[in-house]
Amino acid sequence: MTRWAAVAAFACVLSLLPAGAGAGSSQVTGRVENLRGVPLSGVVVSQGGVSTTTGSDGRYLLESVVPGSVTFERVGYAPTAASWDGSADWLGPTMAPRIVRGLHLTGTRPATDSGYQEMLDIAAATSVNSLMIDIKGEAGLVFHQTEVATVDAVGAGYTNPFDLAARTRQAHDAGLYVVTRIVTFEDPIAARARPDWAVKTAGGSLLVHSGQYWLDPTDPAAQHYALELAREACSMGVDEVQFDYVRFPTGDKSTMRFDGSSDAGSRQQTITGFLREARELLAPLGCATAADVFGFITNIPHEGGIGQQLEDLAATIDVISPMIYPSHYVSGWYGFSVPNNHPGPVVRFASQDALDRMTGSQAILRPWLQDFWYTAAQVEIQIVEVDALGLGWMLWNVSSNFTVPGIPTDPELTASQDAPPAVLLPLPRSGFFDVADDHLYTAEIAWLAGESITLGCNPPWGDYFCPRSPLTRGQMAALLARALGLSATESVDRFVDDDATPFEREIEAIAEAGVTLGCASERFCPDRIVTRDQMASFIARALDLEPAADAPFSDVRGVHAPAINALAAAGITNGCAPTEYCPTAVLQRQHAAAFLHRAFAA
């Protein structure tokens, strides 16, 4: 059986596997990553009328394609393309986040031609490349022409609504990215019209906290209202939907009443669950999902009493926008007695806090910056600092009266949407993309693959070997069972700890053959890492080698010494140095390949 057929049998998906190296290949695979090296899911990969979508591991396979340009598109990221001439089996691009530099437009601005044109003019004269348009604001008003029935039912319609689809086309014609902002759970109109959707006090009256009325984040109807507005906005052509006030109210939760649980874990689960549902709704429609979060969330590990936990959010949505306004930080933050007087360092430190915690995330960080109470120089220094971190930004002014002299022009900024060139590789002789032709153990690893002893380390793809990864006892059992052609013939379940592993049948097979006695009574320890001395005992038993009298290694003693000496006498090991075996060293997969090749190759 060929190595590719073996992997296909293992995965039951032959169509997932590359056809092999060589010019004229009609299929190509790869993994799409972001600039942090994180695999990107949901990337649409297209070439010549053929398309597919990357999975959670960032992998894709294009079949029945011809040489040409392969395109990669994902919401929130800048589209990219790479040329493929048919000779490479692997095409691995890196995608850069779309650098969005936006202005907040209160819902009244698009309601008049002059108000909207003023924003377009600012964008044309500066580095601004996006408009963030309010469609539902803090007062509960919905500013655009909408068919969402709840708007009329609760009386939330603005008296002079604008045409969101038309305004979006205007912005797109000007080359601008369009984000809509939905104030989600703060809503005095809907809360009073539908008190059954609202947060209550312990006495049963509507909660009014710091002058704010709140819809209950745990109430499905309250959630549905925001989701319907988001779906409609996306259908009108916008590029991204940002949910603001997507949180629980601040304050003493013991004085508040919600339909669902409101402890810390439940708060976090509620907010993350809502945003996950939003993304599942919007991503297929082509819109990125964003959330506006408190600035202090970048600096604390928990959900802050409001349901916003940074890592949880970063694993759920496309864009996180913390409000890192220096005026919102109290004395002592980042070492400043008056943080508001230090806009540059504050936004730099807060942004870096978030970036440090998002290293394994697909999400994009795009902070809100302060454009109120500040001079042009103070606005500009915030922009310069986040630009130096490679980030986009959005300027907040509640009335959309911006400090235009403080907004740099395009040539003054450096953050780029460009990504490094895609990686193009032929399939190496080993059969694995991570074992190059000049690898020390290429021949041994290729033999394991050709004999179907290894199926790789990344099922169902089976095209990575992970040569430096440590080998577990469960994996060792699988390799030995395949090398020896063993299969379990008895129905005895010898070990209580292998039922949840994919290697249970192989473990039983080598136990039945006397190759292992386990690690303890009725235990095999399948997840425990194999050491070099243990490997020697496995192979010595598998080959029924006689113990050797000679002891060529100075560092070998104890229970595994006879097996190590036997392997040396049989030429299966030369040790790790001229007179040393390194018995307690962790066994890497590449070294296991060398052992097995010497032991079992004809």
Side-chain angles (χ1 to χ4, degrees), residues 242-553:
Q242 183 185 97
F243 296 93
D244 198 355
Y245 289 83
V246 58
R247 61 179 176 85
F248 281 71
T250 56
D252 183 359
K253 301 300 184 294
S254 68
T255 66
M256 305 176 191
R257 296 294 179 266
F258 304 89
D259 288 352
S261 299
S262 59
D263 58 87
S266 297
R267 291 193 298 265
Q268 183 174 327
Q269 186 176 22
T270 294
I271 297 305
T272 304
F274 167 78
L275 290 171
R276 182 178 297 111
E277 184 177 355
R279 191 179 188 284
E280 290 171 353
L281 172 70
L282 298 177
L285 301 177
C287 285
T289 301
D292 184 348
V293 303
F294 274 177
F296 73 84
I297 293 299
T298 69
N299 189 260
I300 62 170
H302 51 80
E303 49 80 46
I306 56 175
Q308 295 179 345
Q309 202 280 332
L310 187 67
E311 284 84 358
D312 207 8
L313 295 174
T316 305
I317 56 177
D318 301 302
V319 182
I320 294 179
S321 293
M323 300 176 289
I324 52 174
Y325 311 137
S327 64
H328 283 29
Y329 290 90
V330 298
S331 180
W333 272 89
Y334 297 118
F336 300 116
S337 58
V338 184
N340 190 57
N341 293 342
H342 304 274
V346 168
V347 301
R348 181 174 72 250
F349 294 150
S351 297
Q352 191 63 60
D353 281 345
L355 286 173
D356 290 345
R357 295 170 61 186
M358 293 171 62
T359 54
S361 167
Q362 301 182 85
I364 296 164
L365 179 68
R366 186 196 309 140
W368 279 104
L369 303 181
Q370 178 173 329
D371 190 1
F372 52 91
W373 306 342
Y374 270 170
T375 65
Q378 289 172 311
V379 170
E380 183 178 14
I381 191 59
Q382 296 175 90
I383 294 173
V384 169
E385 290 289 359
V386 297
D387 180 73
L389 295 173
L391 306 178
W393 40 266
M394 294 176 295
L395 290 181
W396 176 265
N397 180 282
V398 68
S399 302
S400 303
N401 295 317
F402 297 102
T403 311
V404 178
I407 305 176
T409 62
D410 283 319
E412 295 172 312
L413 296 177
T414 60
S416 172
Q417 295 179 172
D418 295 335
V423 176
L424 287 150
L425 294 172
L427 187 69
R429 290 186 295 109
S430 65
F432 300 102
F433 287 112
D434 59 347
V435 181
D437 288 345
D438 60 355
H439 190 282
L440 181 61
Y441 298 108
T442 288
E444 291 86 347
I445 293 170
W447 174 81
L448 255 66
E451 295 296 318
S452 303
I453 295 172
T454 182
L455 305 177
C457 65
N458 63 329
W461 302 93
D463 51 16
Y464 267 61
F465 183 72
C466 305
R468 294 184 179 276
S469 295
L471 194 73
T472 67
R473 287 172 56 89
Q475 294 165 347
M476 185 73 257
L479 294 175
L480 286 170
R482 295 176 195 140
L484 293 166
L486 299 176
S487 59
T489 60
E490 302 174 0
S491 59
V492 179
D493 188 1
R494 293 171 176 81
F495 306 111
V496 298
D497 62 346
D498 65 349
D499 294 347
T501 78
F503 308 115
E504 181 179 10
R505 300 309 300 161
E506 289 91 344
I507 292 169
E508 293 295 339
I510 66 169
E512 185 178 318
V515 176
T516 183
L517 301 176
C519 64
S521 177
E522 298 185 338
R523 295 178 63 82
F524 182 75
C525 305
D527 296 325
R528 186 175 294 177
I529 300 300
V530 178
T531 55
R532 286 171 57 88
D533 53 1
Q534 293 166 354
M535 177 68 173
S537 290
F538 272 121
I539 292 178
R541 292 192 205 105
L543 295 179
D544 198 22
L545 296 178
E546 291 292 333
D550 291 337
F553 305 116

Side-chain angles (χ1 to χ4, degrees), residues 195-211:
D196 53 320
W197 296 359
V199 181
K200 309 290 197 314
T201 67
S205 60
L206 291 179
L207 174 73
V208 184
H209 182 71
S210 299

